[in-house]
Amino acid sequence: MSDSEDETRDKLLKIVILGDGASGKTAMATRLVHDAFGKQYKQTVGLDFFLKRITLSGNLNVTLQVWDIGGQTLGGPMLDKYIYGSHGVLLVYDITNHQSFENLDDWYTAVQKVAADSERRPTVALVGNKIDMEHLRDVKADRPLRFCQENGLAHYCTSAKTGESVCIVWRVGLCCATDTF
Protein backbone atom coordinates (compact mmCIF):
# COMPACT_ATOMS: atom_id res chain seq x y z
CA MET A 1 0.00 0.00 0.00
CA SER A 2 1.45 3.37 -0.96
CA ASP A 3 1.51 6.38 1.31
CA SER A 4 -1.14 8.07 -0.81
CA GLU A 5 -3.53 5.13 -0.32
CA ASP A 6 -2.99 5.33 3.42
CA GLU A 7 -3.70 9.05 3.71
CA THR A 8 -6.83 10.28 5.37
CA ARG A 9 -8.84 12.80 3.40
CA ASP A 10 -11.26 15.28 4.97
CA LYS A 11 -14.26 16.83 3.30
CA LEU A 12 -16.75 19.39 4.59
CA LEU A 13 -20.22 19.30 3.03
CA LYS A 14 -22.81 21.99 3.55
CA ILE A 15 -26.35 20.63 3.55
CA VAL A 16 -29.23 23.11 3.81
CA ILE A 17 -32.71 22.12 4.99
CA LEU A 18 -35.52 24.35 3.72
CA GLY A 19 -39.29 24.30 4.08
CA ASP A 20 -42.17 25.75 6.01
CA GLY A 21 -42.18 26.00 9.77
CA ALA A 22 -43.32 22.88 11.63
CA SER A 23 -42.54 20.61 8.66
CA GLY A 24 -39.98 18.71 10.74
CA LYS A 25 -36.67 20.11 9.53
CA THR A 26 -35.11 20.43 12.98
CA ALA A 27 -36.50 17.04 13.99
CA MET A 28 -34.84 15.44 10.94
CA ALA A 29 -31.49 17.04 11.75
CA THR A 30 -31.78 16.04 15.41
CA ARG A 31 -32.66 12.46 14.44
CA LEU A 32 -29.62 12.21 12.20
CA VAL A 33 -27.10 13.81 14.52
CA HIS A 34 -28.32 12.68 17.94
CA ASP A 35 -30.66 9.80 17.03
CA ALA A 36 -33.31 11.48 19.15
CA PHE A 37 -36.73 13.06 18.74
CA GLY A 38 -37.98 15.99 20.81
CA LYS A 39 -41.69 15.90 21.48
CA GLN A 40 -41.99 19.66 22.01
CA TYR A 41 -42.11 21.92 18.95
CA LYS A 42 -39.71 24.84 19.14
CA GLN A 43 -39.59 27.23 16.20
CA THR A 44 -36.18 27.80 14.63
CA VAL A 45 -35.56 31.52 14.40
CA GLY A 46 -33.13 32.36 11.61
CA LEU A 47 -31.01 29.24 11.44
CA ASP A 48 -29.41 26.52 13.51
CA PHE A 49 -26.36 24.36 12.82
CA PHE A 50 -25.75 20.67 13.30
CA LEU A 51 -22.56 18.72 12.65
CA LYS A 52 -22.34 15.03 11.80
CA ARG A 53 -19.01 13.32 11.18
CA ILE A 54 -18.93 10.19 9.05
CA THR A 55 -16.01 8.06 7.90
CA LEU A 56 -16.40 6.51 4.46
CA SER A 57 -14.36 3.88 2.72
CA GLY A 58 -11.04 5.03 1.31
CA ASN A 59 -10.14 6.94 4.48
CA LEU A 60 -12.57 9.74 3.65
CA ASN A 61 -13.75 11.68 6.69
CA VAL A 62 -16.87 13.70 5.90
CA THR A 63 -18.25 16.41 8.13
CA LEU A 64 -21.84 17.26 7.31
CA GLN A 65 -22.53 20.85 8.23
CA VAL A 66 -26.32 20.92 8.37
CA TRP A 67 -27.93 24.34 8.11
CA ASP A 68 -31.46 24.16 9.52
CA ILE A 69 -33.19 27.25 8.14
CA GLY A 70 -36.24 28.63 9.96
CA GLY A 71 -39.45 28.45 7.95
CA GLN A 72 -40.15 32.15 8.38
CA THR A 73 -37.06 33.12 6.34
CA LEU A 74 -38.75 32.57 2.97
CA GLY A 75 -38.42 35.89 1.17
CA GLY A 76 -36.09 37.19 3.88
CA PRO A 77 -32.90 39.09 3.08
CA MET A 78 -30.57 36.36 4.41
CA LEU A 79 -32.03 33.30 2.67
CA ASP A 80 -29.78 33.52 -0.40
CA LYS A 81 -26.72 33.81 1.86
CA TYR A 82 -27.79 30.69 3.78
CA ILE A 83 -28.19 28.68 0.56
CA TYR A 84 -25.02 29.97 -1.14
CA GLY A 85 -22.20 27.42 -1.29
CA SER A 86 -24.35 24.45 -0.34
CA HIS A 87 -23.56 21.00 -1.69
CA GLY A 88 -27.05 19.68 -1.04
CA VAL A 89 -30.50 21.09 -0.31
CA LEU A 90 -33.39 19.19 1.22
CA LEU A 91 -36.79 20.71 0.49
CA VAL A 92 -38.98 19.41 3.31
CA TYR A 93 -42.77 19.39 3.47
CA ASP A 94 -45.19 17.92 5.98
CA ILE A 95 -47.42 15.27 4.37
CA THR A 96 -50.26 16.34 6.70
CA ASN A 97 -50.05 20.02 5.71
CA HIS A 98 -50.99 20.79 2.11
CA GLN A 99 -49.79 24.40 2.35
CA SER A 100 -46.27 23.25 3.26
CA PHE A 101 -46.20 21.40 -0.05
CA GLU A 102 -47.67 24.31 -2.04
CA ASN A 103 -44.96 26.63 -0.71
CA LEU A 104 -42.21 24.37 -2.12
CA ASP A 105 -42.40 26.28 -5.40
CA ASP A 106 -41.21 29.40 -3.61
CA TRP A 107 -38.49 27.55 -1.68
CA TYR A 108 -37.25 25.86 -4.86
CA THR A 109 -37.27 29.17 -6.75
CA ALA A 110 -35.02 30.64 -4.04
CA VAL A 111 -32.59 27.72 -4.46
CA GLN A 112 -32.58 28.07 -8.24
CA LYS A 113 -31.91 31.81 -8.01
CA VAL A 114 -28.85 31.26 -5.82
CA ALA A 115 -27.64 28.32 -7.93
CA ALA A 116 -27.84 30.42 -11.08
CA ASP A 117 -25.45 32.95 -9.53
CA SER A 118 -23.08 30.32 -8.13
CA GLU A 119 -20.34 28.12 -9.54
CA ARG A 120 -21.66 25.15 -7.58
CA ARG A 121 -25.14 23.82 -8.17
CA PRO A 122 -26.33 21.92 -5.12
CA THR A 123 -27.99 18.53 -5.32
CA VAL A 124 -31.65 19.10 -4.41
CA ALA A 125 -34.08 16.48 -3.08
CA LEU A 126 -37.71 16.67 -2.00
CA VAL A 127 -38.54 15.14 1.38
CA GLY A 128 -42.05 14.36 2.60
CA ASN A 129 -41.84 14.16 6.39
CA LYS A 130 -44.17 12.71 9.05
CA ILE A 131 -45.04 9.45 7.30
CA ASP A 132 -45.78 8.05 10.75
CA MET A 133 -48.98 10.14 10.40
CA GLU A 134 -50.04 8.65 7.06
CA HIS A 135 -53.65 8.43 8.29
CA LEU A 136 -53.69 12.27 8.36
CA ARG A 137 -52.08 12.72 4.92
CA ASP A 138 -53.23 15.92 3.22
CA VAL A 139 -50.77 15.88 0.29
CA LYS A 140 -51.83 13.33 -2.31
CA ALA A 141 -48.92 11.06 -3.23
CA ASP A 142 -49.02 11.95 -6.94
CA ARG A 143 -48.39 15.67 -6.31
CA PRO A 144 -44.80 15.39 -5.01
CA LEU A 145 -43.96 12.82 -7.68
CA ARG A 146 -45.16 15.20 -10.38
CA PHE A 147 -43.19 18.09 -8.79
CA CYS A 148 -40.06 15.93 -8.84
CA GLN A 149 -40.56 14.84 -12.45
CA GLU A 150 -41.07 18.45 -13.56
CA ASN A 151 -37.95 19.62 -11.73
CA GLY A 152 -35.64 16.60 -12.03
CA LEU A 153 -35.55 15.93 -8.29
CA ALA A 154 -35.45 12.78 -6.18
CA HIS A 155 -38.28 12.26 -3.67
CA TYR A 156 -38.10 10.57 -0.27
CA CYS A 157 -40.58 10.01 2.52
CA THR A 158 -39.37 10.03 6.10
CA SER A 159 -40.43 10.12 9.71
CA ALA A 160 -38.18 12.10 12.00
CA LYS A 161 -40.26 10.75 14.89
CA THR A 162 -39.60 7.05 14.20
CA GLY A 163 -36.38 7.58 12.25
CA GLU A 164 -37.79 5.79 9.21
CA SER A 165 -35.74 6.57 6.09
CA VAL A 166 -34.01 9.63 7.61
CA CYS A 167 -30.57 8.06 7.10
CA ILE A 168 -31.39 7.15 3.50
CA VAL A 169 -31.98 10.81 2.67
CA TRP A 170 -28.65 11.82 4.19
CA ARG A 171 -26.77 8.97 2.49
CA VAL A 172 -28.20 9.98 -0.88
CA GLY A 173 -27.19 13.59 -0.25
CA LEU A 174 -23.69 12.45 0.68
CA CYS A 175 -23.47 10.27 -2.40
CA CYS A 176 -24.40 13.09 -4.73
CA ALA A 177 -22.25 15.65 -2.96
CA THR A 178 -19.11 13.53 -2.65
CA ASP A 179 -19.38 11.36 -5.76
CA THR A 180 -18.04 8.55 -3.55
CA PHE A 181 -20.50 5.89 -2.37
Side-chain angles (χ1 to χ4, degrees):
M1 192 181 297
S2 73
D3 288 339
S4 63
E5 290 175 5
D6 213 15
E7 289 180 19
T8 300
R9 297 173 294 144
D10 296 313
K11 190 157 195 164
L12 175 68
L13 298 176
K14 177 182 176 181
I15 308 295
V16 176
I17 309 175
L18 299 174
D20 281 6
S23 60
K25 301 179 302 293
T26 301
M28 286 178 59
T30 302
R31 173 60 73 183
L32 172 74
V33 174
H34 303 293
D35 195 23
F37 179 78
K39 293 181 181 175
Q40 297 288 356
Y41 173 71
K42 182 179 174 225
Q43 179 182 20
T44 301
V45 178
L47 76 143
D48 200 358
F49 293 96
F50 294 83
L51 290 176
K52 174 76 173 182
R53 290 181 175 83
I54 302 169
T55 301
L56 303 175
S57 62
N59 292 327
L60 178 61
N61 294 320
V62 177
T63 300
L64 285 178
Q65 185 184 64
V66 181
W67 292 46
D68 173 21
I69 311 300
Q72 77 282 1
T73 61
L74 183 58
M78 295 298 291
L79 183 59
D80 58 340
K81 291 164 184 55
Y82 296 155
I83 297 169
Y84 185 81
S86 60
H87 296 87
V89 175
L90 300 178
L91 297 173
V92 180
Y93 70 96
D94 172 354
I95 69 162
T96 71
N97 179 338
H98 186 74
Q99 192 60 51
S100 72
F101 176 78
E102 290 298 321
N103 291 340
L104 289 176
D105 279 327
D106 295 330
W107 288 107
Y108 188 52
T109 298
V111 172
Q112 289 178 303
K113 178 183 166 227
V114 173
D117 296 335
S118 173
E119 292 178 16
R120 176 186 307 140
R121 293 192 176 269
T123 300
V124 181
L126 186 67
V127 182
N129 193 31
K130 303 187 183 181
I131 59 172
D132 55 288
M133 299 172 63
E134 182 67 37
H135 61 288
L136 298 175
R137 179 183 276 275
D138 194 30
V139 178
K140 293 182 180 178
D142 66 319
R143 297 287 312 278
L145 295 177
R146 190 173 13 190
F147 183 88
C148 288
Q149 287 174 340
E150 291 169 359
N151 295 292
L153 306 177
H155 180 249
Y156 304 94
C157 291
T158 65
S159 170
K161 182 177 183 177
T162 67
E164 183 176 346
S165 298
V166 171
C167 286
I168 292 171
V169 172
W170 298 105
R171 289 179 69 82
V172 169
L174 267 176
C175 177
C176 296
T178 62
D179 294 325
T180 10
F181 252 50

